[in-house]
Amino acid sequence: MTPVPNTPGKRHPGPPGFFSLSLSAKLVASFCSLFSAVLVLMLLAGSYGIPLTGYQGRISLMKAEAFRGLELIADLKRSRLVNWLSERADDARQLAALDIVRLSRALPGPRPEGGPPSGAVPNDPALQSVLDSTLRSKPIYTRIRLVDAAGRRILVSTDPGELGNSLAGRRFVEGALENRDGYLSGIEHSPSSGRPAFFVSHAVIDPKGGLIAVLVMSIDAEDIIRPMLHIGDGLGDSGEALLIGQGGRILTSLKYPLAAGARATALEYRATDQPALLAAAGEEGVSESVDYRGQRVLAAYRHVRLSSDEGWGLVVKRDEAELLAATRREAAYTLCIGLGGLGAVILASVLLSRRLTRPIRELDATARDIAAGNANVRAPVTAGGEIGRLALAFNFMLDKLHNRRAELEAAVAGRTAELDLSNRALVEKIADLERAGEKIAAQLAEKEVLLKEVHHRVKNNLQIISSLLSLQAVHVRDPHDKELFEDSVGRVMSMAMVHEDLYASKDFSKVGLREYAYRLSRRLAANRFAGGAVRLEIEVQDTLLPVHQAIPCGLIINELVTNAFKHAFPGAKGGTIGLSLSEVEGGFELRVADDGIGMAEDFDWKNAQSLGLTLVASLVGQLHGEAALRGGGGTVFTVTFPK
Amino acid sequence: MTPPQRLFSWITALLAAGLILVFAGRLDVTPGFPARPDPAPSPIYEGYDFGEPGGPVVNCAVQPLWAPTGAITELLRRDAVLAGAMSELGLTLRFFPFLKGADINAYLFSGRLDAMVAGDMPALTAAATTDVVVAALVNQGFISVLAKRHMQLAALRGKTLGCAYGSSAHFALLRALAGAGVAQGEVKLAFMDIGEMPEALRGGRIDAFSTWEAGTTVIRNANPDFAVIHRVAYSGYLYFSGGFARARPEAAKALIAAQLRAMAWMKDKRENLLSASVLALEAAKRFTGSDLGVSADEYAELVKSEFLDFVPLPIIPENALAPNGQLRQAFVFLANHEILPAGADWDKTALRFDRALIRDVLGNPEKYRLGDFDYRLASQ
């Protein structure tokens, strides 16, 4: 693993987002996240019907209990209604079976159904008395009447005002006739009062089995049946039982106004809520729905069967709001307490996290101060435990670092003093050397001046010697001797020219041979053979030769070129003398050639009596070189010598 | 991992575990059931000999397990007046017990049955499918939906529900669910016979089931912890094959008259009702090989509450065929749910509910001997 360099004052980049927050912020965020997660989990579970919270469980339990209570009351109400209906059916059956009814002269004998209505209705006081006494003994009935089976007209009634009225087409008449038995028709508008009334009817059959009449007994629905639906306090203030007919028509008035504020009228208003319609259609169960007021209710619904083609829907309901009011208040209170508690917990967590993280923050501030260069700060030890021990250890570490730093600084100071001393000595030595250098340079300059002066004086002296020899030669009559003098002058001048070049040059030890060769050759050609037809061709590399080689080399050139001028072209014959000097491997090659008369093939120049050639041989030896002569057509003299 | 990272990991794990728990409760772990039951007839019926069609035998299909028709059909089997009337017509009655109306229809469609009793859904299916004459009511009862605990029907959304395919309980269950706002596609139907349902519910293979009487009482006697969460009114009918009713109308009327006699005899005295109930329970035991699990008193109460108390005469109510009537609405519902064959026509179906036969019988009580009761109670 590569260690991370711990550079003071430089922060290491960490993960972005949450993990870049301060420790206290992380603690608060973590706590709030955990709390929120638990809340979300509970809400999610609640939405799926899993009662993780007591509230959801209580709501479910309360609803289940409420449904059981509603079902119990609905079953009791239905049972009561069924029994009551059975009693009414028995009333009609018993009355219709009485001989005083079946044999009454007020009723027609058997005749074809649908025949013409009877004419005058014969009176039967005994039958009338039975009906009246029955009405008095059973005051729930509002009217009792006997209807002609054929003509559907009222033959006998406890209400004399309706005698003769036709009840054709009324279900309580037709049903009884079709069944030849009892018939419970449900609730219809009374043909006499127009009020909602319940009709129980029964066929009257004569002893021969003939269908002669229908007994119809009516009961005021609002006065008798509606009170049977009264629930009392069992279902709270909002509890209500409804009776619904086929098609959803309400059979009794409602406890509350409709949603729009109007009062619903029995047999006219049609319920649209699900329990009412289902119950009327023959279903039984429980449901949560919205009732005629638009209120959410819990309802149990039952079907009360009256006959094969008639049934009532019975709905027992209670407002959900009333049922759950106490629980919801409690839940709201709990929620307020919970929210307050949550706020308090958040506040406490903020304060607590700040309190808990204060020593760490102080430690962090101390570390930042130290990183900024303030090494004298120390972390305050305000807490015990791990953080207190950490602060103590941190301070201990700082103290040790401080001491180590002081020791280091002392060592550095001592070493620095030693270095200062050494430095000063070195500076003095350098100054001495500079002074010595300056002195050497001055001495060198002085030496150069002296050397230059020496070369100048030597040149002057040589020129004086040359002048002296030239003056002396004027007085020599013998041409041979005169020539000897002139040769000597040439030799001296060739040496003087070397010294002249030396003091004129910057380097007093070397002579530029190219310039020297040109000057020397031109002087020889001008002084000794001016106006001749001999042409001098010079090809000399620009080479510097040291003095000890330049002087012999110059004397050799002087001797060989002079010899060429003197002996190669006798009788003013024209020609060419070539002079060349070039660098060859490891040295130089000097070549003097002419196209003159040349020398004999067997001429031994090294043993010749000529001073010039003797001198040449001597000078070649001085240069540690070699010389070669080729005669014949012209002469070529080649001298090679090392560098 | 730093402490805050570990804390976050724990929170994430807690949330994930919670979500798994929440959704696990919604997972449907119910094993699959066939979308349709095996169309092959039950092996129970393999030994039935229906004879040659058109022969001097009237094949009657009955349902011994169905109260109250078990009592009525057992009295028909023992009605000497009916036997005499058939004999005068040169006919012999034979009774074949079946488990449910859908099975009866299968044999009706193959022309092997002449008279039968079944619930409203099989009767409607038969009337919409083939030539039949639906002549009389034999039941006005309730189909019950049972579950392991009290609940609203809406809570069955997403659950697996058991029912007998093609039965009135099948239709009633769908109708009840529709009334509660639960579409057919929101539940999984598991088709099975009534005898399998209690074990399936207890074993968790289904979440609720629908059944008719006496099944409801039998199952609740054996499983008192089961709750009836919903009831749906339904009706049952006596119907004839069209060929039989037209070819032998007097035989059909004799059967209707026998039903009227049976009803009147049971209404006349409590002991008659109990006798008929005992006969019905014995017939059920002969059919299934075991006691039905209800007492004669309980069965008698079922006969009353499911029929006799509300039906003085078994005339099919005219308003049941009206536009908003029970049968018309049932027809529309079945057609909409594609349970009826495609192209089923209501007008044609309604014409097959015939009130004329029973009116004719009621109009001639002496001819059809409605007041003569002669039951050979010990002879069968």
Side-chain angles (χ1 to χ4, degrees), chain A residues 106-139:
Chain A
L107 303 181
R111 53 186 162 183
E113 290 181 24
S118 59
V121 179
N123 194 14
D124 186 347
L127 178 58
Q128 185 70 47
S129 172
V130 167
L131 297 187
D132 290 341
S133 64
T134 302
L135 190 67
R136 282 194 298 275
S137 64
K138 298 182 184 294

Side-chain angles (χ1 to χ4, degrees), chain A residues 188-510:
Chain A
E188 301 176 34
H189 286 295
S190 167
S192 52
S193 67
R195 285 168 58 85
F198 172 66
F199 294 92
V200 52
S201 55
H202 203 285
V204 179
I205 299 172
D206 67 15
K208 293 180 180 177
L211 194 57
I212 56 173
V214 176
L215 174 72
V216 179
M217 305 166 79
S218 59
I219 298 167
D220 189 284
E222 285 293 303
D223 290 347
I224 304 300
I225 297 179
R226 188 167 185 274
M228 291 171 63
L229 302 175
H230 181 64
I231 287 180
D233 299 332
L235 292 177
D237 293 336
S238 65
E240 184 181 8
L242 303 175
L243 211 52
I244 315 295
Q246 286 182 334
R249 287 189 310 161
I250 57 168
L251 300 179
T252 58
S253 57
L254 303 175
K255 183 176 180 179
Y256 298 103
L258 301 174
R263 280 277 171 191
T265 306
L267 296 179
E268 290 180 8
Y269 176 73
R270 287 181 185 273
T272 56
D273 54 301
Q274 182 211 39
L277 295 176
L278 291 177
E283 295 195 33
E284 298 183 347
V286 296
S287 73
E288 292 178 61
S289 61
V290 177
D291 74 351
Y292 59 88
R293 298 166 297 156
Q295 294 289 323
R296 277 199 70 77
V297 295
L298 274 62
Y301 48 97
R302 295 290 183 265
H303 186 71
V304 182
R305 181 162 278 155
L306 300 177
S307 61
S308 60
D309 63 347
E310 181 71 34
W312 289 341
L314 173 67
V315 177
V316 178
K317 65 183 180 64
R318 184 181 186 185
D319 287 3
E320 185 187 76
E322 184 192 32
L323 175 71
L324 304 178
T327 306
R328 283 182 173 159
R329 273 197 304 275
E330 192 179 327
Y333 176 75
T334 306
L335 184 64
C336 289
I337 295 292
L339 288 174
L342 175 62
V345 164
I346 290 173
L347 183 64
S349 67
V350 170
L351 295 174
L352 195 60
S353 64
R354 289 183 65 80
R355 169 80 177 157
L356 288 174
T357 59
R358 193 175 69 185
I360 295 175
R361 284 186 281 115
E362 288 172 347
L363 205 56
D364 178 54
T366 305
R368 286 172 189 273
D369 280 349
I370 291 166
N374 185 3
N376 294 323
V377 293
R378 291 292 179 273
V381 184
T382 56
E386 299 94 325
I387 297 173
R389 286 196 292 276
L390 179 64
L392 284 171
F394 188 68
N395 288 343
F396 178 70
M397 184 180 71
L398 286 176
D399 289 340
K400 284 196 78 173
L401 280 174
H402 187 75
N403 294 338
R404 290 296 302 273
R405 183 177 173 181
E407 289 170 6
L408 194 62
E409 283 178 350
V412 167
R415 190 73 184 149
T416 303
E418 289 174 7
L419 284 172
D420 279 347
L421 285 174
S422 300
N423 196 35
R424 276 198 289 276
L426 193 60
V427 167
E428 284 177 9
K429 280 186 178 175
I430 290 169
D432 289 346
L433 286 172
E434 284 177 348
R435 281 193 294 275
E438 288 169 359
K439 190 176 177 180
I440 289 167
Q443 288 173 343
L444 189 60
E446 186 180 355
K447 189 177 174 183
E448 283 179 357
V449 170
L450 288 173
L451 193 58
K452 194 173 182 180
E453 186 62 26
V454 167
H455 284 303
H456 191 209
R457 285 177 186 244
V458 170
K459 187 262 300 182
N460 287 343
N461 288 338
L462 289 173
Q463 281 183 337
I464 289 167
I465 293 169
S466 175
S467 298
L468 287 175
L469 287 174
S470 295
L471 289 172
Q472 190 67 42
V474 172
H475 299 285
V476 176
R477 298 298 178 198
D478 182 25
H480 180 259
D481 293 338
K482 192 176 183 72
E483 188 177 342
L484 290 175
F485 270 95
E486 287 174 354
D487 288 344
S488 296
V489 168
R491 289 177 186 123
V492 172
M493 281 305 292
S494 67
M495 288 189 289
M497 287 174 69
V498 169
H499 287 284
E500 185 180 14
D501 282 352
L502 280 172
Y503 85 75
S505 69
K506 291 178 182 176
D507 187 349
F508 298 113
S509 61
K510 290 181 179 176

Side-chain angles (χ1 to χ4, degrees), chain A residues 18-19 26 30 33-34 37-38 41 44-45 48 50 67 71 78 171 178-182 246 274 278 281-288 301 303 305-309, chain B residues 2 4-5 7-8 11 14-15 18-19 21-23 26 137 140-142 150-152 175-176 179-180 229-234 310-313 315 317 319 355 359:
Chain A
F18 174 82
F19 297 103
K26 282 176 195 168
S30 301
S33 300
L34 186 62
V38 172
L41 191 63
L44 271 176
Y48 283 99
I50 301 172
F67 277 130
E71 284 195 292
R78 179 177 61 178
R171 291 177 59 216
E178 183 171 84
N179 282 346
R180 299 171 63 86
D181 201 351
Q246 286 182 334
Q274 182 211 39
L278 291 177
E283 295 195 33
E284 298 183 347
V286 296
S287 73
E288 292 178 61
Y301 48 97
H303 186 71
R305 181 162 278 155
L306 300 177
S307 61
S308 60
D309 63 347
Chain B
T2 61
Q5 284 173 320
L7 181 64
F8 252 63
I11 293 171
L14 187 65
L15 266 174
L19 288 172
L21 279 174
V22 166
F23 285 106
R26 316 251 318 159
L137 275 176
Q140 285 257 286
F142 285 93
H150 284 278
M151 63 174 73
Q152 297 180 61
R175 201 178 88 176
I229 62 169
H230 199 81
R231 298 212 307 166
V232 180
Y234 80 113
F310 310 102
V311 184
L313 293 174
I315 303 170
N319 60 8
R355 292 151 50 93
R359 282 182 182 281

Side-chain angles (χ1 to χ4, degrees), chain B residues 40-330:
Chain B
S42 168
I44 296 173
Y45 315 132
E46 282 176 359
Y48 289 0
D49 179 12
F50 295 99
E52 288 300 313
V57 175
V58 179
N59 290 329
C60 301
V62 299
Q63 298 190 54
L65 305 181
W66 181 21
T69 64
I72 295 170
T73 53
E74 283 309 301
L75 288 177
L76 260 61
R77 285 162 64 100
R78 291 164 174 79
D79 188 343
V81 177
L82 173 63
M86 288 295 175
S87 179
E88 286 175 12
L89 294 170
L91 298 170
T92 306
L93 281 172
R94 281 197 303 205
F95 291 87
F96 297 95
F98 284 85
L99 284 170
K100 58 181 186 288
D103 297 346
I104 292 173
N105 275 351
Y107 286 91
L108 166 70
F109 296 153
S110 61
R112 284 178 283 182
L113 290 175
D114 301 306
M116 59 226 84
V117 290
D120 46 13
M121 181 166 171
L124 263 177
T125 306
T129 308
T130 191
D131 179 19
V132 294
V133 175
V134 186
L137 275 176
V138 291
N139 169 270
Q140 285 257 286
F142 285 93
I143 300 285
S144 297
V145 181
L146 279 77
K148 278 198 274 194
R149 60 180 177 84
H150 284 278
M151 63 174 73
Q152 297 180 61
L153 273 179
L156 295 179
R157 185 176 278 110
K159 306 289 188 187
T160 303
L161 312 177
C163 66
Y165 178 76
S167 66
S168 291
H170 180 190
F171 159 64
L173 181 61
L174 293 179
R175 201 178 88 176
L177 290 169
V182 182
Q184 187 176 350
E186 293 181 289
V187 296
K188 187 187 290 182
L189 293 181
F191 297 115
M192 56 182 71
D193 286 327
I194 291 178
E196 305 170 54
M197 292 176 185
E199 204 53 45
L201 180 62
R202 194 164 290 288
R205 291 194 296 129
I206 58 176
D207 300 289
F209 62 87
S210 62
T211 181
W212 56 85
E213 293 290 2
T216 307
T217 303
V218 170
I219 290 167
R220 291 206 72 199
N221 283 348
N223 304 275
D225 53 326
F226 287 1
V228 175
I229 62 169
H230 199 81
R231 298 212 307 166
V232 180
Y234 80 113
S235 49
Y237 297 91
L238 167 67
Y239 54 105
F240 306 108
S241 70
F244 171 75
R246 280 190 297 277
R248 304 184 192 280
E250 287 306 313
K253 289 176 188 173
L255 282 165
I256 295 169
Q259 184 194 341
L260 288 166
R261 273 196 299 277
M263 290 173 65
W265 189 73
M266 287 190 289
K267 277 184 179 179
D268 187 46
K269 290 178 186 172
R270 172 83 182 167
E271 61 191 80
N272 292 350
L273 178 60
L274 285 173
S275 296
S277 299
V278 169
L279 294 175
L281 293 175
E282 287 173 354
K285 186 175 182 179
R286 280 199 304 276
F287 184 44
T288 62
S290 59
D291 282 332
L292 198 55
V294 295
S295 67
D297 278 327
E298 285 176 318
Y299 196 93
E301 285 308 309
L302 287 176
V303 173
K304 277 166 61 61
S305 62
E306 294 274 308
F307 193 48
L308 295 184
D309 281 352
F310 310 102
V311 184
L313 293 174
I315 303 170
I316 296 168
E318 195 169 7
N319 60 8
L321 299 167
N324 288 324
Q326 180 194 348
L327 286 171
R328 176 67 188 274
Q329 288 186 341

